[in-house]
């Protein structure tokens, strides 16, 4: 069974630009969550989706948004990029609610 | 109240030793406590998880001990190997209305031959 697939793996963007990251969950998994990982703040929750509905959102500015499609694939978007948005963005999928979460390898975003 | 406190920040042991990583929480609504292992350049990988109705769980060389009254849980790695050198994260979540994971700050483990 293929794992969680995140694309692209690496991305370099300029301040002020916007970026879209993609996550394909494990086949059959309906829940997708996003996390930001930085050396200073650690792993922080961004948002979670189940059956195309956002269930919860973390404490991030409105520049961070996401969505989930009917095939459970998810995207997150960051607009007006800032240097501080440089991070590893991780996607996790679960087969259902209150089950184990499996992470992808992440997308390394660098904002210059 | 949403925090999970993890210690130590780093740990160095010799091969065969038993590193122990500790985590503490305040929110008694947490009902799921997983541990993740992360290698450089990779995403976190689920190692083992426990729920509050169990005091100990073993999977291979990894054991979680859970103390509900003290609101603490710990990871023990038996017969540690150089390949166990990685960063370990504890986490907690409240499953009834969200799968949001609250992570500890991580412990960097180095196992020397």
């Amino acid at each position: 069974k293929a794992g969680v697939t995140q694309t692209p793996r690496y991305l370099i963007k300029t301040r002020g630009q916007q970026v879209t990251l993609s996550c394909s969950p494990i086949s059959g998994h309906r829940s997708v969550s996003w996390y930001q990982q930085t050396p200073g703040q650690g792993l922080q929750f961004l948002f979670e989706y189940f059956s195309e509905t956002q269930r919860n959102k973390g404490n991030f500015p409105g520049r961070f948004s996401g969505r989930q499609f009917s095939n459970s694939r998810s995207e997150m978007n960051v607009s007006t990029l800032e240097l501080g948005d440089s991070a590893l963005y991780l996607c996790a999928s679960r087969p259902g609610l209150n089950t184990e979460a499996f992470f992808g390898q992440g997308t390394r975003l660098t904002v210059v | 109240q949403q925090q999970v406190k993890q210690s130590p920040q780093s740990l160095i042991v010799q091969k065969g030793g038993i590193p122990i990583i500790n985590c503490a929480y305040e929110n008694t609504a947490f009902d799921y406590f997983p541990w993740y292992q992360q290698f450089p350049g990779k995403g976190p990988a689920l190692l083992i998880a426990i729920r509050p109705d169990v005091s100990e769980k073993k999977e291979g060389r990894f054991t979680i001990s859970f103390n509900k009254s003290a609101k603490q849980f710990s990871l023990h790695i038996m017969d540690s190997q150089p390949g166990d050198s990685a960063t370990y994260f504890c986490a907690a979540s409240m499953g009834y209305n969200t799968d949001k994971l609250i992570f500890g700050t991580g412990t960097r483990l180095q196992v020397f031959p």
Side-chain angles (χ1 to χ4, degrees):
Chain A
K1 212 174 194 181
V4 178
T5 303
Q6 292 189 243
T7 56
R9 290 291 314 280
Y10 304 93
L11 208 48
I12 300 176
K13 289 287 188 179
T14 305
R15 271 182 303 174
Q17 287 187 311
Q18 75 166 15
V19 67
T20 299
L21 312 181
S22 180
C23 171
S24 293
I26 294 170
S27 178
H29 286 198
R30 298 168 61 194
S31 173
V32 172
S33 302
W34 289 88
Y35 292 82
Q36 181 196 64
Q37 186 174 26
T38 59
Q41 299 298 316
L43 281 148
Q44 292 191 293
F45 170 79
L46 279 158
F47 18 67
E48 65 175 319
Y49 292 89
F50 182 78
S51 293
E52 302 178 68
T53 301
Q54 187 179 87
R55 293 184 74 216
N56 203 352
K57 189 176 192 299
N59 191 24
F60 279 82
R63 301 185 295 107
F64 291 80
S65 62
R67 57 178 175 169
Q68 185 181 33
F69 302 96
S70 58
N71 62 358
S72 294
R73 191 178 69 84
S74 178
E75 289 181 347
M76 66 163 282
N77 185 278
V78 188
S79 62
T80 320
L81 283 166
E82 301 177 359
L83 295 178
D85 297 334
S86 295
L88 181 67
Y89 289 89
L90 293 158
C91 170
S93 80
R94 301 170 186 262
L97 301 178
N98 202 15
T99 57
E100 297 169 333
F102 298 91
F103 282 83
Q105 296 209 64
T107 294
R108 171 73 63 184
L109 172 65
T110 302
V111 182
V112 297
Chain B
Q1 253 210 338
Q2 286 284 317
Q3 280 187 321
V4 176
K5 295 182 180 178
Q6 183 172 347
S7 63
Q9 190 173 355
S10 63
L11 199 48
I12 299 174
V13 300
Q14 278 201 307
K15 178 182 172 181
I18 306 176
I20 301 172
I21 305 170
N22 301 298
C23 286
Y25 63 97
E26 287 297 322
N27 193 337
T28 55
F30 287 143
D31 68 350
Y32 176 69
F33 303 89
W35 284 90
Y36 284 86
Q37 177 190 59
Q38 187 176 30
F39 293 104
K42 304 288 187 181
L46 180 64
L47 268 178
I48 185 173
I50 199 167
R51 295 194 185 269
D53 54 344
V54 176
S55 61
E56 185 177 276
K57 184 175 181 181
K58 292 183 182 181
E59 282 187 9
R61 295 185 294 108
F62 301 95
T63 299
I64 299 180
S65 297
F66 188 85
N67 186 329
K68 189 174 180 178
S69 60
K71 292 184 281 186
Q72 295 175 347
F73 58 109
S74 59
L75 177 71
H76 298 61
I77 305 175
M78 306 302 177
D79 187 28
S80 59
Q81 301 295 315
D84 295 330
S85 298
T87 300
Y88 293 80
F89 293 93
C90 62
S93 72
M94 295 173 281
Y96 63 92
N97 68 351
T98 178
D99 285 332
K100 169 185 174 180
L101 287 167
I102 309 294
F103 282 90
T105 49
T107 296
R108 185 180 175 194
L109 172 66
Q110 293 175 273
V111 182
F112 286 96

